[in-house]
Amino acid sequence: MYLFTSEVVSPGHPDKCADIIADSIVDAILMKDKDSRVASEVFVAGKHIVIGGEISSKAKFSFKEYENIVKNTLHKIGYTGNQNFTKEQCLHPDDIEVHVLLNQQSPDINQGVDQKEGEIGAGDQGIMFGFATNETKEFMPAAITYARDLCDKVYKFAKTNPDKFGVDIKTQVTLDYGNKSNFENCKPQKIHTIVVSVPSVETMGIEEVRKIVSELIDTAGLPKHLYDKDKTTIYINPTGRYVNHSSLHDSGLTGRKLIVDSFGGYAPIGGGAQSSKDYTKVDRSGLYAARYIAKNIVAAGLAKKCIVQLSYAIGIAKPTSISVDTMGTYADGIDDDMLSDFVMQNFPLTPKWITNKFGLDKPSKDTFLYAKVAANGQVGHKDYPWEQLDSVDAFKNIKSK
């Protein structure tokens, strides 16, 4: 055996609630003023929702408007005041207390970000990693892809059956690659273990919970050549009881689910979160750009998997470094040196270029919403602008040495 595991949490997990609230604020502000600068961290503890950080914008929001954003967001997530769970077992939106502690972005940062010639300087220094693999049609690692599929299935059931389940859900998938060579060459052999934790109403017995979730697993669309229920180890609410949930029993904070948001631990990640930040913060835009480059390289057939690292200096538009690492899987004589040089020569990768390329300053219901990205994961969904494959032909036309 050679095993690898990834975990996913649902939008109802307290950390995800914090991310989604923070990005609902980003959406609301950018839709009123696309030049806003936003870094609105959110802390969810018990019945308290604390919004802190820095916002500079022509759009001004009252306390009541922030409160409404919080309550509407929680309602969409599935915290609707479900009477099947008591107010001691689960968060009820009518009970929450919102605290708004926001300041202006520092002028020291502004002078480097908003440049006279129209360029946008990086909103901070830092490193970002994008990754892609041919393990799945989404060009994402298999473990996190299937953990997401399971989480989505159980979460949707929970939202439509509040008399049975709550929405604070975790899933985990372990893949067996058979040996290290298969792992390195992106060839999973089977799903070895599945873990699902979902809160149930107190009147449900564990046998009924496990029966329902087992059926959801079987109909989640897991690949038949990898999933055999009779040969897969499955743990459903392994402690035997999961009733108490939400921020009443586990606090939540923006940026605490970076592995869930990205590549499931399969690849390196940068040190900063995406949620809560506007597009000038390269923790967000740099991840999207690096993922875009890596995905197009793999989709072009130039590698089985690919890591792209970018780095930036605060106030400077051009990246301070760009590197491509295909982890020894490059093809057609197009090696990492050639790929790195091609990316440097053909993709500006400034915050302005990234913003214009993907429309990051214009979130909308017709394109994308940062709140939905926060709920579903920052990468790996084909509808995101940074998941497009419009540079495949350019990479295919690179000439080997």
Side-chain angles (χ1 to χ4, degrees), residues 297 322-324 334-347 349 395 398-399 401:
I297 288 171
I322 300 169
S323 69
V324 176
I334 311 298
D335 62 20
D336 296 350
D337 292 339
M338 296 178 68
L339 288 168
S340 298
D341 184 65
F342 182 81
V343 173
M344 284 189 279
Q345 298 300 323
N346 292 275
F347 296 88
L349 296 173
F395 281 108
I398 300 176
K399 304 295 182 182
K401 295 178 182 178

Side-chain angles (χ1 to χ4, degrees), residues 161-377:
N161 294 272
D163 59 320
K164 292 181 173 64
F165 291 164
V167 294
D168 184 356
I169 300 160
K170 287 185 177 183
T171 58
Q172 187 171 288
V173 170
T174 300
L175 282 171
D176 183 3
Y177 286 80
N179 54 55
K180 182 66 179 296
S181 177
N182 285 336
F183 177 76
E184 291 174 342
N185 287 282
C186 311
K187 296 178 179 178
Q189 301 298 299
K190 64 179 181 179
I191 294 175
H192 181 275
T193 303
I194 289 171
V195 183
V196 178
S197 296
V198 54
S200 63
V201 299
E202 197 161 20
T203 54
M204 286 184 71
I206 189 62
E207 295 80 9
E208 184 181 359
V209 173
R210 289 173 176 165
K211 180 177 183 296
I212 293 171
V213 175
S214 293
E215 292 171 354
L216 293 172
I217 293 171
D218 291 342
T219 57
L222 299 176
K224 293 181 179 179
H225 68 286
L226 296 177
Y227 174 62
D228 181 342
K229 67 181 299 182
D230 296 325
K231 296 180 179 180
T232 301
T233 301
I234 299 175
Y235 297 110
I236 299 168
N237 288 11
T239 69
R241 173 184 166 86
Y242 179 22
V243 174
N244 299 307
H245 64 286
S246 79
S247 60
L248 296 184
H249 304 279
D250 179 17
S251 63
L253 186 67
T254 46
R256 207 157 56 180
K257 286 292 176 282
L258 300 187
I259 296 295
V260 171
D261 274 340
S262 55
F263 308 105
Y266 196 106
I269 60 170
Q274 290 74 53
S275 289
S276 84
K277 299 171 182 175
D278 71 79
Y279 52 88
T280 67
K281 278 61 170 184
V282 284
D283 286 323
R284 186 189 282 279
S285 53
L287 167 68
Y288 298 162
R291 161 65 178 173
Y292 168 77
I293 297 295
K295 184 177 180 181
N296 276 266
I297 288 171
V298 174
L302 299 183
K304 295 176 182 177
K305 51 187 173 182
C306 178
I307 299 170
V308 174
Q309 189 208 48
L310 306 178
S311 69
Y312 292 86
I314 189 167
I316 306 299
K318 293 284 289 184
T320 54
S321 69
I322 300 169
S323 69
V324 176
D325 179 4
T326 58
M327 307 167 78
T329 68
Y330 64 82
D332 299 329
I334 311 298
D335 62 20
D336 296 350
D337 292 339
M338 296 178 68
L339 288 168
S340 298
D341 184 65
F342 182 81
V343 173
M344 284 189 279
Q345 298 300 323
N346 292 275
F347 296 88
L349 296 173
T350 65
K352 183 177 181 180
W353 182 87
I354 300 170
T355 297
N356 291 341
K357 172 70 177 172
F358 305 133
L360 300 185
D361 57 342
K362 300 179 181 67
S364 72
K365 292 180 180 179
D366 296 326
T367 54
F368 72 95
L369 291 170
Y370 287 117
K372 287 188 175 181
V373 173
N376 298 321

Side-chain angles (χ1 to χ4, degrees), residues 56-184:
S56 296
S57 177
K58 295 176 183 176
K60 304 301 178 184
F61 286 76
S62 66
F63 169 82
K64 190 65 178 176
E65 287 173 308
Y66 282 117
E67 185 180 53
N68 286 340
I69 290 173
V70 170
K71 289 188 175 183
N72 289 339
T73 300
L74 288 172
H75 195 277
K76 289 177 184 177
I77 288 170
Y79 289 111
T80 59
N82 186 353
Q83 298 303 309
N84 297 288
F85 292 95
T86 70
K87 291 188 175 184
E88 289 72 37
Q89 294 171 340
C90 172
L91 182 68
H92 286 235
D94 289 344
D95 288 347
I96 67 170
E97 296 182 31
V98 177
H99 310 267
V100 180
L101 307 171
L102 292 168
N103 302 304
Q104 294 282 311
Q105 178 173 282
S106 168
D108 297 347
I109 298 175
N110 292 346
Q111 69 180 359
V113 174
D114 300 312
Q115 301 179 359
K116 291 181 180 179
E117 61 272 24
E119 188 51 84
I120 300 173
D124 200 355
Q125 70 178 56
I127 59 172
M128 304 86 218
F129 291 92
F131 179 74
T133 171
N134 64 7
E135 284 190 359
T136 65
K137 69 180 187 303
E138 295 86 0
F139 295 95
M140 289 285 287
I144 191 169
T145 298
Y146 305 141
R148 281 180 175 178
D149 290 343
L150 287 175
C151 196
D152 289 346
K153 184 78 174 182
V154 179
Y155 175 62
K156 289 176 182 176
F157 181 89
K159 286 193 73 176
T160 54
N161 294 272
D163 59 320
K164 292 181 173 64
F165 291 164
V167 294
D168 184 356
I169 300 160
K170 287 185 177 183
T171 58
Q172 187 171 288
V173 170
T174 300
L175 282 171
D176 183 3
Y177 286 80
N179 54 55
K180 182 66 179 296
S181 177
N182 285 336
F183 177 76
E184 291 174 342

